[in-house]
Amino acid sequence: MKSIKKAMFFCFMLFSISIMAQEKGKAEIKTSVVCDHCKACETCGLSFKENLMKLKGMRMYEFDEEKKTITVFYNPKKLDLFTIKTTISKLGFDADDVKADADAYEKLDSCCKA
């Protein structure tokens, strides 16, 4: 019975540690994504998926078009937040204080321009 309690405690501790580690690699970035279409269109959505997910240490991201934010989940030992923001900027969108790259912005579909 004691070994079951110890095993359950050990599993709980591992779960807690993994949750805390994930939270450290989570950030909400204010962006200029203007519509739900931006998440799915070939120009914007696929570009986000291809470019953000190829960053070493990027785990996943979520758009919130109402709040105009992107929540990113990443490994801070492999990737820093500034690199993520710069990548978003190079896709044509603002990322907090990092302004959208002008050339990339011009290539966006007209509906995706703020």
Side-chain angles (χ1 to χ4, degrees):
M1 190 68 160
K2 283 187 176 183
S3 61
I4 292 174
K5 287 182 180 180
K6 286 182 182 179
M8 287 178 60
F9 177 75
F10 181 73
C11 289
F12 175 77
M13 292 303 294
L14 283 177
F15 178 75
S16 298
I17 291 169
S18 69
I19 293 293
M20 288 188 296
Q22 286 180 352
E23 289 301 312
K24 289 182 181 178
K26 176 183 175 184
E28 187 174 272
I29 300 169
K30 186 77 174 160
T31 186
S32 57
V33 174
V34 295
C35 66
D36 187 49
H37 171 74
C38 294
K39 296 189 305 187
C41 79
E42 291 181 17
T43 305
C44 309
L46 291 178
S47 185
F48 261 93
K49 185 175 183 177
E50 290 172 1
N51 288 286
L52 284 181
M53 294 310 294
K54 75 178 178 184
L55 293 173
K56 187 175 183 172
M58 178 63 77
R59 292 189 175 128
M60 65 179 276
Y61 64 92
E62 298 171 347
F63 281 107
D64 186 331
E65 62 271 2
E66 285 183 25
K67 292 173 31 179
K68 293 188 179 182
T69 60
I70 300 171
T71 302
V72 293
F73 302 87
Y74 63 99
N75 181 341
K77 292 181 181 179
K78 296 180 180 179
L79 182 63
D80 63 89
L81 191 53
F82 184 74
T83 301
I84 297 169
K85 291 179 183 182
T86 302
T87 301
I88 293 169
S89 169
K90 290 179 181 177
L91 296 173
F93 297 98
D94 293 342
D96 285 337
D97 57 338
V98 180
K99 295 295 177 192
D101 178 81
D103 292 333
Y105 177 80
E106 288 304 317
K107 293 177 184 175
L108 293 176
D109 289 349
S110 59
C111 65
C112 294
K113 294 179 181 178

